[in-house]
Amino acid sequence: MKFERVNKLLAEKLIVILRVKHSEDIIPIVQCLAAAGIKALEVTANTPNFCAAISRIRSEFPEVLVGAGTITNVLLAQQAMAAGAQFLVTPNTSSAVVKVAHEQEVPVVMGAFTPTEIVAAIEAQADIVKLFPAEPMGPDYLKSLAFGPFNDTIFFPVGGINELNVERWANSGAKGIGVGGSLAAPVRTPEEAQRLVERLKTLIKKVATLF
């Protein structure tokens, strides 16, 4: 089960991150993601009622791989998996989270920034390394890692990535990306929904071409 989920993430190469202030905004966003063709998303643990949201998305959008993000500790990992999270995403490096997740065949996309943290994530047997926060150092920093000492590491950078700059990240050694922000913003009108769907479709096409 873990193997199949990791392979789906690697095949999709794109995880959309949902972090909202109001839980009622989640389903309208997910409807846009599904309409655009997004197949992997995460609901962050600092979104209100994130466990209920995961369960509902799993039920209503069975074609989408649903993960839980901002999983900083074992307790959050356990809560997320009990709600049905199919993968976990962390902002930090934690071998304990990997251990409890792998016991339930749940893959982990583990946050790391420095070379020391990247090594710790690899040694913890994280399935994918989430370079985070990616934006401050930029694609050149990833390039120095991915084409240098960590050329065997699967990097999904997260932070400040969108349809306008994704090519730079792809050319710097990323194997996939995580996006959020305006690409997962609340939609309150049909016009906003349509704009979001079109942006996501553009991004999906670029990811399919570049990676």
Side-chain angles (χ1 to χ4, degrees), residues 44-170:
T44 65
N46 51 5
T47 289
N49 303 312
F50 84 102
C51 285
I54 289 170
S55 298
R56 183 175 175 185
I57 297 167
R58 285 288 312 274
S59 174
E60 296 185 18
F61 302 89
E63 73 281 8
V64 177
L65 195 69
V66 184
T70 318
I71 302 300
T72 56
N73 56 57
V74 167
L75 178 59
L76 284 172
Q78 292 170 330
Q79 291 172 343
M81 290 187 293
Q86 295 166 290
F87 64 96
L88 303 180
V89 184
T90 79
N92 58 311
T93 306
S94 169
S95 59
V97 168
V98 176
K99 183 176 184 296
V100 72
H102 283 185
E103 286 173 352
Q104 297 192 39
E105 287 292 301
V106 173
V108 178
V109 182
M110 179 142 286
F113 184 70
T114 67
T116 299
E117 291 169 349
I118 293 166
V119 169
I122 294 168
E123 290 180 343
Q125 299 183 22
D127 301 284
I128 295 170
V129 174
K130 167 187 165 181
L131 185 67
F132 178 81
E135 185 175 22
M137 297 295 281
D140 287 341
Y141 179 61
L142 172 61
K143 189 173 183 178
S144 69
L145 299 168
F147 292 109
F150 301 106
N151 61 338
D152 293 329
T153 301
I154 300 170
F155 285 108
F156 274 42
V158 174
I161 303 171
N162 55 46
E163 73 275 26
L164 301 178
N165 62 19
V166 63
E167 184 171 1
R168 291 191 63 205
W169 291 99

Side-chain angles (χ1 to χ4, degrees), residues 14-37:
L14 174 59
I15 301 170
V16 175
I17 303 156
L18 300 183
R19 177 181 284 107
V20 297
K21 294 181 179 179
H22 305 289
S23 58
E24 60 267 24
D25 286 326
I26 292 176
I27 295 302
I29 298 172
V30 178
Q31 289 171 338
C32 292
L33 302 186

